[in-house]
Amino acid sequence: MGTEHSKDEGRRSMVFLRKGPKLPAWEDALLAGREPKSLLKRGLRYVSLSLIMKGMTSTPDFLWGLHEVQKLNLSRNQLVVIPPLLGKLDRLVVLNLGGNCLKSLPKEIGLLRNLKVLFVNMNCLKEVPAELSLCRKLEVLSLSHNCISQLPLSFTDLTSLRKLNLSNNRFVQIPLCIFALRSLDFLHLGSNKLENIAESIQYLVNLQIFIVENNNIRSLPRSLCYISTLELLNVDYNAIQTIPDDLYLLRRLRRVAWNPMDKGLHIAHNPLSRPLPEVVEGGLDVLFNYLRDKKEHN
């Protein structure tokens, strides 16, 4: 019995050891006496460092000495704050801070003058520092799934920005600074509290994908019809009753789309006035012909 009991205890100990927490990669490296730079990966384009899903509640101090890193992934941790030392990594081109618990970004983020891609989605941000507008090379910015209700006016300086995701926030109207971002080809404002789309939307002359689903929008501005580059317009789940007669000018919309991933016109789940529901069901050609005839007879 004593021998069997000791064997059982040994098995339980082994199970406990196997289930025990593993050391994070960087701690493992440091305990082994390895240089933190050994964690860097040197690819064809970027020197990168990934610390994704490491359970971090704070950033390791050695990180701010890795000046050569160009692509940094700190996503899906439990970070509450990013220290001002972030500004030391001035070679960063891609920075992913998504899926953390950040309530703010340090103003020193404006020192990242080479930054082209920034993800801060799925955090707890209520505002964005004006200094971010100093990142003039920024092309892709995701701030989705936060608590943001406005953007600083200085965002007008982000003239290289092409893709902007502001979905799942608290915007009541589209921030005025967005209409100055003439390079935008992708704009996502779904799942906010928008009640209208300003006529100034026409200034986004390169916009190809415009998503404002799941808001409180009651009508579409006529000026939207003059963005000839639009290939996907998603206004699903709003309060739209009528459609501007000039919508047929959007010739790059190829179909009435039902799959969220498809390009085309998404206009389902709106209280469209009759006969629009039946016309829409006939497809985009039927809808455009109806709108064209309606305009000619007015």
Side-chain angles (χ1 to χ4, degrees), residues 207-266:
L207 200 59
Q208 298 176 24
I209 296 176
F210 183 37
I211 304 172
V212 284
E213 64 177 346
N214 194 28
N215 279 284
N216 302 311
I217 298 167
R218 298 175 182 274
S219 62
L220 300 178
R222 185 179 180 185
S223 63
L224 182 65
C225 306
Y226 304 142
I227 307 177
S228 60
T229 51
L230 269 181
E231 297 178 3
L232 189 157
L233 173 59
N234 190 336
V235 294
D236 285 348
Y237 294 98
N238 276 283
I240 298 170
Q241 297 184 19
T242 61
I243 300 174
D245 293 345
D246 288 336
L247 196 71
Y248 69 86
L249 295 174
L250 298 178
R251 295 184 177 87
R252 293 198 183 184
L253 296 181
R254 299 297 184 187
R255 70 190 79 165
V256 173
W258 307 99
N259 187 320
M261 302 302 293
D262 288 344
K263 290 184 177 181
L265 173 64
H266 298 253

Side-chain angles (χ1 to χ4, degrees), residues 101-120:
C101 307
L102 301 175
K103 294 184 178 180
S104 63
L105 293 173
K107 63 181 182 180
E108 286 78 9
I109 198 169
L111 298 175
L112 307 182
R113 303 299 170 86
N114 292 302
L115 197 63
K116 290 186 177 181
V117 179
L118 175 60
F119 287 93
V120 204

Side-chain angles (χ1 to χ4, degrees), residues 139-151:
E139 297 179 6
V140 178
L141 174 59
S142 178
L143 296 167
S144 70
H145 294 83
N146 278 284
C147 305
I148 305 168
S149 59
Q150 57 186 355
L151 295 177

Side-chain angles (χ1 to χ4, degrees), residues 175-199:
L176 292 175
C177 58
I178 289 180
F179 301 127
L181 306 179
R182 306 297 167 83
S183 296
L184 275 186
D185 59 41
F186 176 98
L187 178 57
H188 195 340
L189 278 155
S191 299
N192 277 280
K193 300 179 179 181
L194 301 180
E195 296 182 355
N196 61 69
I197 300 172
E199 293 284 349

